[in-house]
C-alpha cells in the first residue's frame, strides 16, 4: 500500500480534465425517474416482533420447499458414506433430522472480514462445504453449502460473496483463478478470476498507475455531476469492481473504453439463473453506520473499534437495505437506494462494487488526524479526489448514502435527522464476523457456521475477538438477539486453543432461540505446514500463486478438526471431524425432536463443545 504516497507526489500533473467521461462513468451514474405507482420507500420491521421482507420470505420458503430437502439428503449421503468408510454408525436422529424436511436445520454461514486474505480463506472454507468439490464430498463435509439458508459477509468476505453471486455461483476454483484455460468456452462468458496480480491501487508501472487512478476518478464523475456526493468509497468500489465483478480481464485491464463492472447492481442479481432457481444461500453483506452522537461507553475495547456497538449495522441484500437493529428497524428497496423521496426514484445507485466498498473499505482507521490521514496510503488518492470534486461538508473516508431513513425512528436512531448516512467497513465496531443478520429471530437460523479470519494478534492469526464483540453486542441488544455464551477473555481463548481448532459454542443451551455456533478460525497453520494464511489484512496485491497457497492451506485448516494421535503414534487430522460437524449441524433439531445425544455424536460434542 505504498502506491498512493507516490501518487501524491505526482499530483501536479494528475488533475482530471473536467470534461472527461467514459463508458464506466455513464454506467456508474444513477438515473432519476418517477417512482412506480404505489412505491413505498420504507418498510418498518417492527421493533420486537420483527418481520422479513416479502421477497426474502418468498425466496427462503421456496428454497426450503424445492431445493433444501434434496440438498440435505445428499449431504446425509456424503456424511453417511464417510461414516461407513470409518466403520462408524451415525445415531438414528442424525439421519432423521437430515432426511425429514420438517426437521431440517436452518443453517447460516458467516464469513469474517480480512481483505484478500479473508476472501480467499473464506472461499476455501466454502469449497470444503461444497458438494461440487469431490474432495469435500468424499470427506463428508461437502453439501453443507448447498443446504444453507443464508450466507453473510463483510469487508473482504463481502468481496467474495458478491463476486460469487454476480458470477452466477461458479466453483471457487473458477471464481478465484478463472476458467480462461478452458478453451471449449468462449471468453466473454467467463469470469476470469480475481486478478490479484493487479494491485488494487497501483496496478502497473508508475504511468499506468497514474492513468488508472485518473480513470477511477473519471468513473465516478457522472455520479457527482448528477448531484451525489462521491467519496473514497466510490473510487475504491471502482477498483474492487475490476477484480470482483464481471467485465475485466488481464488483457483489457487498463482499457478505459469498457465499463469494468459499472452498471452491475445488487438488485439486478435477482434475475441471475442461480437466484431464480433459489440455488444459493440468501446472501447478505453488512456495513457500519457512523452516527453523529456516538455512545462511547459502547465501544468494544479489545480491538481498535471506532464504531460503538450500539450503532445500527446496515445490511444490504438483493431486495432490501436497512437494519433489524431495534434503533432503526427499517428497510428500503435496494434497487431504489439514493432516492430523494417516494415520488422521484433513483436506480443504479446500488452498484455491486460500491456496496463491496461500503462493506469493505478500511479508510477511517487512518483518520486519527488530518495529518495522519494525509500521510496514509490513501492520502494521495484523497488529495486528488478532493481537488477534483468540491464537496464541502462531506466526509470523504466513508460511503455517503442519501439517508433512506431521514426522519424515521427519531427517538432511537441517532442519524434520523441526517440527510446523508455515512457508512464504513463492517468490521469497525469490532464485530468482524457478520453474525448480526443471522441472529434476527424472524430468520429462524438455528445453526451458524462461522469462518473467522480476522487478524487478531501480532502474527495476524485469529483469537476470537470478533466473537467476543458479537456476544457483547447481542447482550446490549438482548431484546431482539440471542447469542451463545463464549469466553469473554482472550486469555481463555488462548489457553484453551479455541481458535486453533474448530470449537462449538452454545451446545448446552436448551433454547432453540440461541443458535449453535460452529466456529472455524484461521488460528494456526495446519499440522506440519509452514504458515501462509496469516498475511496482513491491508495487502492490496495478491498474486494467483499466493492466492493458491492460501486457498490450499485454508482447505486443510477447514477440514482438520482437532488433531488426534493415531495408532502409529503420529498426530493426524481428526478423521471423525466431518461426522462431528454433522452432529453439531443437527443438534438443535435433535433437541427439538426430543432425542438424546448418543453414540459418536455424544463423544464428538464432548470433544468439540466449549462449556
Ligand atoms: C476440490 O478442492 C481441493 C482443495 O482445494 C482441490 O485440491 C481440488 O482440486 C478441488 N476439486 C475440484 C474438482 O475442484
Ligand atoms: C470446460 O467447460 C466445459 C463446458 O462447460 C466442461 O464440460 C468441462 O468440464 C470444462 N473442462 C475443464 C477442464 O474445466
Ligand atoms: C457474469 O459472468 C458469468 C459467467 O462467468 C455469467 O454467468 C453471469 O451471468 C454474469 N453476471 C452478470 C451480472 O452479468
Ligand atoms: C512515463 O511518462 C513520462 C511522461 O509522459 C515518460 O517520459 C516516461 O517515459 C513514461 N515512463 C514509462 C515507464 O512509460
Ligand atoms: C477507445 O475508444 C476510442 C474512441 O472510440 C478509440 O480511439 C480508442 O482506440 C479506444 N481504445 C481502446 C484501447 O480500445
Ligand atoms: C450505550 O451503551 C451501553 C453499553 O455499553 C448501553 O447499556 C446503553 O444502553 C447505550 N445507550 C444508548 C443510548 O444506546
Ligand atoms: C471492556 O468492556 C467490557 C464490557 O463492557 C468491560 O467489562 C471491561 O471492563 C472493559 N475493559 C476495559 C479495559 O475498559
Ligand atoms: C422529490 O425529490 C425531487 C428531486 O430532488 C424534488 O424535485 C421533488 O420536489 C421532491 N418531491 C417531494 C414531494 O418532496
Ligand atoms: C479539501 O480541499 C479544501 C480546499 O478546496 C481544503 O480546505 C480541505 O482541507 C481539503 N480536505 C482534505 C481532506 O484534503
Ligand atoms: C476524518 O474524521 C473526522 C471526524 O473525526 C471527519 O470530520 C473528517 O471529515 C474525516 N476526514 C475525511 C477526509 O473524511
Ligand atoms: C505467520 O505465522 C508465522 C508463525 O507460524 C510467523 O513466523 C510469521 O511471521 C507470521 N506472519 C505474519 C505476517 O505475521
Ligand atoms: C455441556 O455439554 C457437554 C457436551 O455434551 C457436556 O460434556 C457437558 O457436561 C455439558 N455441561 C453442562 C454444564 O451441562
Amino acid at each position: 500500500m505504498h502506491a498512493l504516497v507516490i501518487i501524491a507526489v505526482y499530483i501536479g500533473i494528475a488533475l482530471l480534465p473536467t470534461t472527461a467521461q467514459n463508458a464506466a462513468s455513464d454506467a456508474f451514474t444513477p438515473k432519476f425517474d418517477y417512482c412506480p405507482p404505489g412505491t413505498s420507500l420504507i418498510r418498518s420491521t417492527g421493533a420486537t416482533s420483527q418481520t422479513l421482507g416479502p421477497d426474502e420470505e418468498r425466496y427462503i420458503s421456496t428454497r426450503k420447499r424445492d431445493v433444501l430437502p434434496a440438498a440435505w439428503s445428499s449431504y446425509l449421503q456424503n456424511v453417511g458414506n464417510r461414516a461407513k468408510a470409518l466403520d462408524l454408525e451415525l445415531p438414528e436422529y442424525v439421519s432423521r433430522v437430515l432426511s425429514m424436511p420438517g426437521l431440517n436445520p436452518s443453517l447460516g454461514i458467516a464469513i469474517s472480514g480480512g481483505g484478500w486474505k479473508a476472501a480467499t480463506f473464506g472461499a476455501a472454507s466454502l469449497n470444503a462445504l461444497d458438494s461440487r468439490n469431490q474432495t469435500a464430498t468424499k470427506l463428508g463435509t461437502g453439501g453443507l453449502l448447498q443446504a444453507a439458508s443464508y450466507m453473510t459477509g463483510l469487508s473482504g468476505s463481502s468481496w467474495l460473496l458478491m463476486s460469487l453471486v454476480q458470477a452466477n455461483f461458479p466453483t471457487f476454483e473458477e471464481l478465484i483463478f478463472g476458467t480462461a484455460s478452458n478453451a471449449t468456452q468462449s471468453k466473454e462468458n467467463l469470469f476470469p478470476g480475481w486478478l490479484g496480480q493487479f494491485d488494487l491501487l497501483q496496478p502497473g508501472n508508475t504511468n499506468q498507475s497514474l492513468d488508472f487512478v485518473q480513470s477511477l476518478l473519471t468513473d465516478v464523475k457522472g455520479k457527482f455531476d448528477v448531484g451525489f456526493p462521491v467519496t473514497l468509497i466510490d473510487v475504491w468500489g471502482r477498483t474492487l469492481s475490476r477484480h470482483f465483478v464481471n467485465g475485466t480481464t488481464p488483457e483489457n485491464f487498463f482499457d478505459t473504453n469498457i465499463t469494468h463492472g459499472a452498471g452491475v447492481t445488487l438488485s439486478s442479481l435477482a434475475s441471475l439463473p442461480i437466484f431464480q432457481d433459489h440455488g444459493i444461500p440468501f446472501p447478505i453483506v453488512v456495513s457500519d453506520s457512523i452516527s453523529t452522537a456516538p455512545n462511547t461507553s459502547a465501544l468494544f475495547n479489545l480491538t481498535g473499534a471506532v464504531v460503538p456497538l450500539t450503532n445500527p449495522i446496515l445490511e444490504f441484500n438483493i431486495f432490501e437495505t436497512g437494519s433489524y437493529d431495534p434503533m432503526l428497524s427499517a428497510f428500503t428497496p435496494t434497487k431504489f437506494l439514493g432516492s430523494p423521496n417516494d415520488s422521484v426514484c433513483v436506480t443504479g445507485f446500488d452498484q455491486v462494487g460500491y456496496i463491496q466498498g461500503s462493506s469493505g473499505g478500511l479508510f477511517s482507521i487512518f483518520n486519527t488526524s488530518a495529518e495522519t490521514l494525509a500521510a496514509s496510503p490513501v492520502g494521495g488518492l484523497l488529495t486528488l479526489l478532493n481537488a477534483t470534486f468540491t464537496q464541502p461538508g462531506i466526509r470523504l473516508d466513508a460511503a455517503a448514502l442519501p439517508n433512506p431513513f431521514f426522519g424515521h425512528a427519531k427517538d432511537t436512531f441517532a442519524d434520523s435527522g441526517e440527510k446523508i448516512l455515512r457508512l464504513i467497513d463492517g468490521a469497525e465496531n469490532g464485530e468482524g464476523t457478520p453474525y448480526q443478520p443471522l441472529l434476527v429471530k424472524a430468520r429462524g437460523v438455528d445453526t451458524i457456521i462461522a469462518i473467522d479470519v480476522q487478524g487478531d494478534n501480532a502474527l495476524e492469526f485469529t483469537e476470537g475477538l470478533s466473537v467476543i464483540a458479537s456476544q457483547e453486542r447481542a447482550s446490549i441488544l438482548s431484546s431482539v438477539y440471542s447469542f451463545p455464551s463464549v469466553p469473554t477473555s482472550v486469555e481463555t481463548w488462548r489457553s484453551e486453543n479455541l481458535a486453533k481448532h474448530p470449537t462449538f459454542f452454545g451446545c448446552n443451551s436448551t433454547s432453540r432461540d440461541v443458535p449453535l455456533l460452529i466456529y472455524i478460525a484461521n488460528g494456526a497453520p495446519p499440522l506440519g505446514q509452514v504458515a501462509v494464511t496469516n498475511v496482513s489484512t491491508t495487502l492490496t496485491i495478491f498474486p494467483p500463486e499466493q492466492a493458491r497457497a492460501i486457498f490450499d492451506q485454508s482447505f486443510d485448516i477447514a477440514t482438520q478438526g482437532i488433531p488426534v494421535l493415531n495408532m502409529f503414534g503420529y498426530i493426524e487430522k481428526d478423521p471423525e471431524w466431518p461426522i462431528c460437524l454433522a452432529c453439531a449441524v443437527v443438534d438443535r433439531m435433535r433437541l427439538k425432536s426430543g432425542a438424546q445425544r448418543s453414540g459418536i455424536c455424544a463423544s464428538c460434542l464432548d470433544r468439540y463443545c466449549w462449556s
Side-chain angles (χ1 to χ4, degrees), residues 69-271:
W72 283 116
S73 294
S74 97
Y75 167 65
L76 170 60
Q77 193 159 15
N78 296 342
V79 70
N81 287 343
R82 173 69 176 178
K84 231 175 269 155
L86 294 170
D87 244 337
L88 294 169
E89 198 167 330
L90 294 176
E92 180 274 339
Y93 68 79
V94 174
S95 316
R96 189 152 41 89
V97 165
L98 294 178
S99 60
M100 286 183 53
L103 273 184
N104 288 167
S106 184
L107 175 65
I109 302 177
I111 308 173
S112 84
W116 279 111
K117 167 176 68 170
T120 310
F121 191 103
S125 306
L126 295 182
N127 187 35
L129 307 177
D130 188 344
S131 64
R132 297 171 299 178
N133 183 289
Q134 296 245 323
T135 315
T137 299
K138 260 183 96 173
L139 214 52
T141 53
L144 280 174
L145 174 60
Q146 278 69 22
S149 295
Y150 289 95
M151 55 184 178
T152 62
L154 65 77
S155 200
S157 61
S158 82
W159 308 348
L160 158 66
L161 290 191
M162 303 257 107
S163 185
L164 177 70
V165 177
Q166 67 83 43
N168 200 41
F169 202 57
T171 65
F172 293 94
E173 195 75 35
E174 288 167 338
L175 182 70
I176 301 182
F177 305 102
T179 41
S181 58
N182 187 339
T184 66
Q185 292 185 356
S186 83
K187 236 178 185 160
E188 301 78 75
N189 286 327
L190 295 175
F191 180 69
W194 287 349
L195 308 183
Q197 67 271 34
F198 294 96
D199 191 287
L200 287 170
L201 295 168
Q202 188 186 27
N205 64 34
T206 306
N207 286 357
Q208 277 172 320
S209 296
L210 286 173
D211 287 348
F212 177 78
V213 170
Q214 289 266 16
S215 67
L216 297 182
L217 292 169
T218 308
D219 284 3
V220 306
K221 184 175 181 300
K223 181 174 177 181
F224 173 79
D225 286 346
V226 299
F228 292 102
V230 292
T231 71
L232 277 178
I233 298 300
D234 291 87
V235 179
W236 180 243
R238 291 304 306 137
T239 182
L240 293 176
S241 256
R242 285 157 167 84
H243 296 270
F244 299 107
V245 183
N246 283 3
T248 303
T249 63
E251 295 74 27
N252 72 20
F253 197 90
F254 293 103
D255 187 343
T256 54
N257 286 357
I258 59 171
T259 56
H260 294 291
V264 178
T265 58
L266 178 56
S267 52
S268 74
L269 305 185
S271 64

Side-chain angles (χ1 to χ4, degrees), residues 42-52 323-331 408 440 442 479-481:
I42 293 215
R43 179 180 76 84
S44 275
T45 66
T48 45
S49 171
Q50 300 177 322
T51 55
L52 299 186
S323 186
Y324 284 99
D325 286 344
M327 304 73 93
L328 181 50
S329 310
F331 281 82
H408 188 79
V440 174
S479 64
V480 286
Y481 303 134

